[in-house]
Amino acid sequence: MAEVAKAVARSSWSGKWAFILAAAASAVGLGNMWRFPYLAAKYGGGMFLCTYLVLVFTFGVSMLILEISIGRKTGQSAITAFKALAKKWAPLGILVSSIPFIITPYYCIIGGWVMKYAASYVSGGALDLANAEFFGAFITSPVESFIWMFLFMGVTIAVVAMGVKGGIEKANLVMMPALILMAVAVAVYTMTLDGALEGVLYYIKPDFSKFSPELVIGALGQMFYSLSLAMGIMITYGSYLKKKEDIVQSACRVGAFDFGVSFLAGLMIVPASFVALGGADAVASKAGPGLMFGTLPGLFADFGSAAGIIGAVFFILVLFAALTSSISLTETLVSIVVDTTGRSRKASLVIVAVFLFVAGAFINMGYNLLAFIEPLGPGTSLLDFADFLSNSVFMPIAALLTCIFVGWILGPNLVIDEVKTSGNFKAAKPWTIMIKFIAPVLVVIILVAYVAATFGFFSM
Ligand code: PHE
């Protein structure tokens, strides 16, 4: 009875589009803006783009369907959803739920960097940002970097405090369309730069000789992170979804939205990086935070009086993408605390806020006070470690166990029946094959490859 009462008392989305927008807002984030373009540049442009597209609409959408269905069926967030389906599998709920606790604090640190850049462009600091030393000096600063992290967290928490309908839906409704408009504007601008065309062609024309196992592994890992899979997010969001909404259609739309924004981000950044650096190899070798926080500000500075405007628009759009994701991560944390402690939303949010401030401050100290800790070898930080742990270890293990649990223990019919309560599921057969056989193999490949690459047994 208590379980039923809890499910009834949950918030819900005001409609289908609110759900799609929220799931897309969670998916569209720093992963699309910063990571996707550099991976595309690194792994052969068009070939990477095509592989990624295929993966999103086969594997990615299948996983989305699975997670949304579990959430809607149980009406609970990940931590109790698995237990509600089978008592013995309760630990899987804990594993899945622990992942956003690791990601959110460091995601907010990077969000703070983006906020600092956006604010600096707006206040006319385009040239300072173009200085090669700027980024390193800022992230290692013992006071300033903390301030921006706390500010970013503050905005995120304020939106979550306003609730699902009053805060999250409204914030998404403003930020998502604004983000897309700004991305189109910047992409059009950068594509018209001298020498950008070569970059555009490289980015969209598949060159089959570039196909490699590393490309597939890179695309697989990116897909998981970008679609916010295996972290309990889509389970939580599915639990707010009304019984009449079509799950397959929603999952496809979320996948399409996320892919679309990644594609646009690539169009903004890959050609611009070609202009700045002069070729694919140079762009690939500048991969990582450097591309967004170093190369682009350097390039913008060449635009003369337009530098401030382009820089401001670019970083504000990245900031929106980061905020909508951090909001969804924080909402997931709150719903986990509500479901486990039975406390009110408000009290749970206070607990989450304190946790974020403390954990974020600790990870950020990895760049200054605790810089002597190099968890993954020379030059690595606590943030790298948190990222490795969540995305390369916990996430694939959680995804593997989820596929085994649903595909083999509960049986695929559980999901198929849930999907069919609100629409037809023509692809039920291929979906079953994907979840039972293909997905587990692909996930094991991600796990082995990422761990091996981190410890230097394999180069990616
Ligand atoms: N998908 C988001 C991105 O692309 C990141 C994210 C991961 C958000 C996990 C929520 C949960 O940046």
Side-chain angles (χ1 to χ4, degrees):
M1 249 341 256
E3 303 276 73
V4 175
K6 218 190 292 170
V8 171
R10 285 183 91 73
S11 343
S12 62
W13 304 113
S14 43
K16 177 169 76 187
W17 283 99
F19 166 77
I20 292 168
L21 196 62
S26 162
V28 170
L30 292 164
N32 306 58
M33 297 297 162
W34 156 70
R35 201 161 176 271
F36 180 84
Y38 105 66
L39 285 178
K42 182 168 170 183
Y43 293 119
M47 195 62 237
F48 182 85
L49 188 67
C50 290
T51 311
Y52 187 73
L53 179 68
V54 171
L55 284 176
V56 167
F57 285 99
T58 50
F59 187 22
V61 169
S62 300
M63 290 300 289
L64 279 174
I65 292 174
L66 188 161
E67 295 198 11
I68 297 170
S69 304
I70 291 183
R72 194 174 72 174
K73 176 155 185 75
T74 58
Q76 294 176 40
S77 62
I79 194 141
T80 45
F82 289 99
K83 190 165 144 205
L85 293 170
K87 270 229 156 56
K88 268 214 213 119
W89 283 73
L92 177 55
I94 298 173
L95 174 71
V96 169
S97 307
S98 68
I99 302 176
F101 278 94
I102 308 175
I103 295 184
T104 320
Y106 84 78
Y107 202 85
C108 290
I109 295 176
I110 307 178
W113 302 346
V114 176
M115 211 176 209
K116 159 77 183 169
Y117 272 61
S120 303
Y121 272 111
V122 170
S123 59
L127 289 179
D128 298 338
L129 299 179
N131 181 336
E133 315 283 296
F134 184 90
F135 180 60
F138 167 64
I139 65 169
T140 55
S141 60
V143 178
E144 218 204 333
S145 61
F146 288 88
I147 295 177
W148 288 98
M149 175 191 79
F150 288 135
L151 269 177
F152 184 88
M153 286 177 175
V155 175
T156 303
I157 290 164
V159 174
V160 176
M162 288 188 264
V164 170
K165 287 192 185 120
I168 303 181
E169 282 189 10
K170 291 218 172 86
N172 290 338
L173 209 57
V174 175
M175 287 195 273
M176 293 302 286
L179 179 160
I180 291 174
L181 282 179
M182 288 190 277
V184 171
V186 176
V188 168
Y189 183 85
T190 58
M191 284 192 309
T192 54
L193 296 173
D194 253 1
L197 202 62
E198 191 199 341
V200 176
L201 283 179
Y202 174 78
Y203 177 55
I204 52 183
K205 228 171 94 190
D207 170 357
F208 292 93
S209 70
K210 294 263 170 58
F211 193 80
S212 66
E214 289 85 351
L215 178 153
V216 180
I217 295 166
L220 271 173
Q222 171 64 15
M223 187 205 79
F224 259 96
Y225 187 74
S226 192
L227 291 179
S228 310
L229 291 172
M231 309 182 194
I233 308 241
M234 293 301 163
I235 298 181
T236 304
Y237 275 20
S239 77
Y240 303 152
L241 186 65
K242 295 195 179 118
K243 283 285 182 198
K244 62 177 201 296
E245 312 293 2
D246 186 325
I247 293 183
V248 176
Q249 199 188 48
S250 303
C252 288
R253 289 190 172 146
V254 172
F257 215 124
D258 189 59
F259 176 81
V261 175
S262 289
F263 177 71
L264 264 179
L267 268 188
M268 287 192 291
I269 295 175
V270 178
S273 311
F274 264 67
V275 175
L277 302 167
D281 296 343
V283 173
S285 68
K286 285 266 184 181
L291 200 60
M292 184 148 100
F293 295 104
T295 311
L296 284 182
L299 173 72
F300 293 160
D302 294 340
F303 299 162
S305 55
I309 299 172
I310 295 290
V313 173
F314 178 78
F315 278 98
I316 289 173
L317 90 87
V318 178
L319 177 64
F320 281 3
L323 269 175
T324 54
S325 290
S326 67
I327 290 167
S328 89
L329 280 160
T330 305
E331 171 62 28
T332 303
L333 298 184
V334 171
S335 80
I336 290 170
V337 176
V338 170
D339 287 352
T340 37
T341 65
R343 282 174 210 268
S344 68
R345 240 190 100 88
K346 231 192 202 150
S348 304
L349 182 60
V350 173
I351 297 174
V352 168
V354 172
F355 165 78
L356 286 183
F357 287 149
V358 173
F362 176 70
I363 298 175
N364 200 36
M365 279 183 215
Y367 287 112
N368 33 67
L369 290 177
L370 303 176
F372 59 89
I373 307 179
E374 297 185 320
L376 299 171
T380 60
S381 63
L382 288 175
L383 193 150
D384 295 326
F385 184 65
D387 181 57
F388 169 71
L389 207 61
S390 50
N391 293 312
S392 305
V393 183
F394 281 25
M395 189 201 69
I397 294 178
L400 176 65
L401 292 175
T402 307
C403 290
I404 294 176
F405 179 51
V406 173
W408 295 92
I409 310 285
L410 297 174
N413 281 340
L414 181 108
V415 168
I416 295 174
D417 292 344
E418 181 63 30
V419 172
K420 283 190 177 159
T421 57
S422 52
N424 54 19
F425 194 5
K426 284 195 210 109
K429 267 237 170 70
W431 179 84
T432 305
I433 297 171
M434 176 58 93
I435 295 303
K436 283 182 88 160
F437 304 101
I438 305 177
V441 173
L442 292 179
V443 169
V444 169
I445 294 177
I446 305 184
L447 179 63
V448 173
Y450 276 66
V451 173
T454 302
F455 293 104
F457 300 118
F458 176 73
S459 80
M460 292 225 318

